Amino acid sequence: TGEIQNVLPETLYRGDRLETVTPDRLIETLHAGTIVIVSEIHNLQSHHQHQVSFLESLAKNNVSKISVGMEFLSFIGQSYIDQYLFDGLPEEQFLKSVQWSGDFTAYRPLVLFPKNHQGETLGLNAPRTLTAKISKSGMSSLTEEEQALIPPDFQLGNQLYFERFKAVMTGGGHELPPHVIARYFEAQSVWDETMAYVATNYMQNNPDSILVIIVGDFHAQYGGGLPDRLRARGAENIVTISQINLKDLSPSERLEEVLPHPKFGNRANFIWTSEE
């Protein structure tokens, strides 16, 4: 109640109330065995800059082993990632081998970061061919070989996550039949489950590491996607940082983005703003 407080750009807010915290202060609280999700709106330069500065601050804070998990890389290409980082595989060949699409410039420092910090860079995702097939014809259409790529104990995302997903898919006047939305949600859930499975396996084998996961913001928001699946797979120390863009938002809309949602709860443990 009372006067609307301004939500400022280039500021880190707590997720449970309109209170600021410095990235350094947050980093001081992190320890080995923690998974930190730092989301992004893809291709937003300020978000990539935040991610890099976060990793650099983490390294300065005496965290010796820092690994990075990438949504954009598939676990089936892990050998190429390792060769690129540690065995001199030329970048052009690496990008071709992992079927990278789009500009690599903003992601290069993130992918390379663990090389000098005793860590590893992980391809977290399912192969795109798999999720594309699920989107098109559903999980029931998968061959035995394709089913073997799905993590054990697979579950669809929870109901509140589905509600938000459906709202996004049908926003802007799109009319999609329920069975099409259901297929898309299966693919989305395979995306989240695979990332969670690879990340939790890595942390069980590397409890002395901090794993920073770089992922699109929808997967991180309101705990419904990736954080939920990480917890289901036994991860206990998870910190979520949701990055948002304040550009073109009114003061009340900015507040709405940052404050807990009446139905979905806190957007994340921390919310990092930019205006680009």
Side-chain angles (χ1 to χ4, degrees), residues 83-100:
Q83 287 169 48
Y84 171 58
L85 254 69
F86 305 112
D87 300 328
L89 180 69
E91 185 168 287
E92 196 179 337
Q93 211 177 319
F94 159 68
L95 294 176
K96 197 175 174 183
S97 301
V98 297
Q99 300 177 321
W100 185 273

Side-chain angles (χ1 to χ4, degrees), residues 2 25 35 37 40-41 80 85 96 116 121 137 145 185 246 255-256 260-261 263:
R25 178 56 62 85
I35 296 175
I37 299 171
E40 65 179 45
I41 296 169
Y80 298 118
L85 254 69
K96 197 175 174 183
N116 300 316
T121 299
S137 40
E145 202 180 341
F185 191 62
L246 300 176
L255 208 56
E256 208 173 288
H261 188 279
K263 184 172 190 178

